[in-house]
Amino acid sequence: MTRDLIGYGGAWPALTWPGGSKLAVSVVVNFEEGAEQQVIDGDPVSERMGEVISVVPEGKPDPGQAQIFAYGTRAGAWRMADALRQYRVPATVFACGRAAERAAPVLQVFCEDGHETACHGWLWRPHADYDTAEAEAEDLDRATAAIAKVTGAAPVGFFCRGAESPWTRDLLAARGFVYTSNGFDDDLPYRDPSGLTVVPYALDANDMKFFHPNGFVRAQDMVDYVTDALDVLEAEAARGLPRLLNIGFHLRIVGRPGRFKAFEQILAELDRRRDRLWLARRIDIAEAFDKACPA
């Protein structure tokens, strides 16, 4: 992999999003519960990151951690689906295949509300740790099939935890995927040599920072952060610069009552600014970029 530290070099493409806006906003809901590694599910280890760092010895069952994850689909998802409906905000659901398979009725609710489902791998794991392209392809196909069975359509977008393998993008392109989101290096989509469009994601305006010591503590912390990001990007958009803002959420994180206000208030803020933004699913963003900026 050759790193590109220049990108557009400050010469942004002549891009206006549908509706005449210069600022697109992508809301992402991560659907990982049931796809995290758990010894009780037959995995070699259990996921350690949750409300606390697990102290259960590696290789031992960790039912408490499993229950922390299960809260997302048992309780949090329903609050979040209702809020998305109330504020009329379209979202992309990053769904792991095993999570889609095990919590199909929950994913179906998001699908029926018109949200896009993208592939988040079979398990919630980095694709960089696959030793062979064949092993990765097997899990990718398994995840795609599981999502298609639940939603009625094969996903065309992808994002994995951590990082992709050297083969990921070629495997995706060969399977008809349109975009990948394993890019954290720009405010706009761009093209990959594989033919895929990279719709960058972000880990800063992301509720995972509630689980990090240098991150958000109270719900208002995330609301303030996202509001500041909107203010900065709207000012740049007013000067004619095209931009994309990504906001990431997780069922088990902002689905909790003490953090839910972050999700609700951010959606309310997006609704208030609706006439100045393009609120869109990631597939719509990828297709709009491809149309406006053909290869």
Side-chain angles (χ1 to χ4, degrees), residues 8-174:
Y8 288 109
W12 313 110
L15 169 62
T16 299
W17 299 111
S21 176
K22 286 290 186 178
L23 175 56
V25 177
S26 166
V27 169
V28 169
V29 174
N30 289 271
F31 195 97
E32 300 157 347
E33 292 73 9
E36 83 284 0
Q37 294 196 77
Q38 295 288 353
V39 170
I40 59 175
D41 290 331
D43 299 317
V45 297
S46 292
E47 175 60 45
R48 305 198 72 81
M49 182 184 294
E51 292 289 338
V52 295
I53 301 299
S54 175
V55 295
V56 173
E58 189 166 307
K60 298 287 187 180
D62 191 349
Q65 188 74 298
Q67 291 160 4
I68 287 170
F69 272 79
Y71 183 92
T73 44
R74 290 170 61 110
W78 307 100
R79 282 191 189 100
M80 295 172 68
D82 284 346
L84 287 167
R85 209 174 293 127
Q86 177 185 349
Y87 291 105
R88 299 174 295 121
V89 174
T92 293
V93 180
F94 283 167
C96 294
R98 192 167 79 177
E101 185 175 87
R102 303 175 79 180
V106 186
L107 182 57
Q108 283 171 347
V109 168
F110 288 98
C111 180
E112 289 166 2
D113 285 345
H115 304 300
E116 175 200 7
T117 304
C119 179
H120 200 22
W122 171 247
L123 297 180
W124 188 48
R125 59 176 282 191
H127 275 228
D129 66 8
Y130 281 103
D131 293 325
T132 67
E134 291 74 21
E136 183 178 5
E138 182 178 349
D139 276 357
L140 186 59
D141 290 340
R142 190 179 184 188
T144 298
I147 291 169
K149 183 176 180 180
V150 175
T151 67
V156 295
F158 177 83
F159 177 75
C160 70
R161 182 183 188 181
E164 299 166 324
S165 77
W167 320 288
T168 302
R169 293 186 180 181
D170 287 338
L171 292 173
L172 294 171

Side-chain angles (χ1 to χ4, degrees), residues 204-216:
D204 63 324
N206 192 301
D207 69 354
M208 280 296 290
K209 292 186 76 69
F210 283 111
F211 281 3
H212 291 282
N214 65 333
F216 309 131

Side-chain angles (χ1 to χ4, degrees), residues 172-249:
L172 294 171
R175 285 158 174 76
F177 278 73
V178 174
Y179 73 88
T180 181
S181 287
N182 280 93
F184 306 103
D185 50 359
D186 216 306
D187 292 319
L188 284 179
Y190 55 89
R191 289 260 162 43
D192 182 73
S194 66
L196 296 174
T197 294
V198 179
V199 180
Y201 191 45
L203 301 179
D204 63 324
N206 192 301
D207 69 354
M208 280 296 290
K209 292 186 76 69
F210 283 111
F211 281 3
H212 291 282
N214 65 333
F216 309 131
V217 177
R218 302 193 63 184
Q220 194 62 43
D221 295 339
M222 185 173 185
V223 175
D224 290 345
Y225 189 95
V226 171
T227 300
D228 288 346
L230 283 166
D231 289 345
V232 168
L233 293 182
E234 271 203 66
E236 293 181 358
R239 303 198 327 258
L241 304 177
R243 292 292 185 260
L244 165 65
L245 176 64
N246 299 280
I247 314 172
F249 300 100

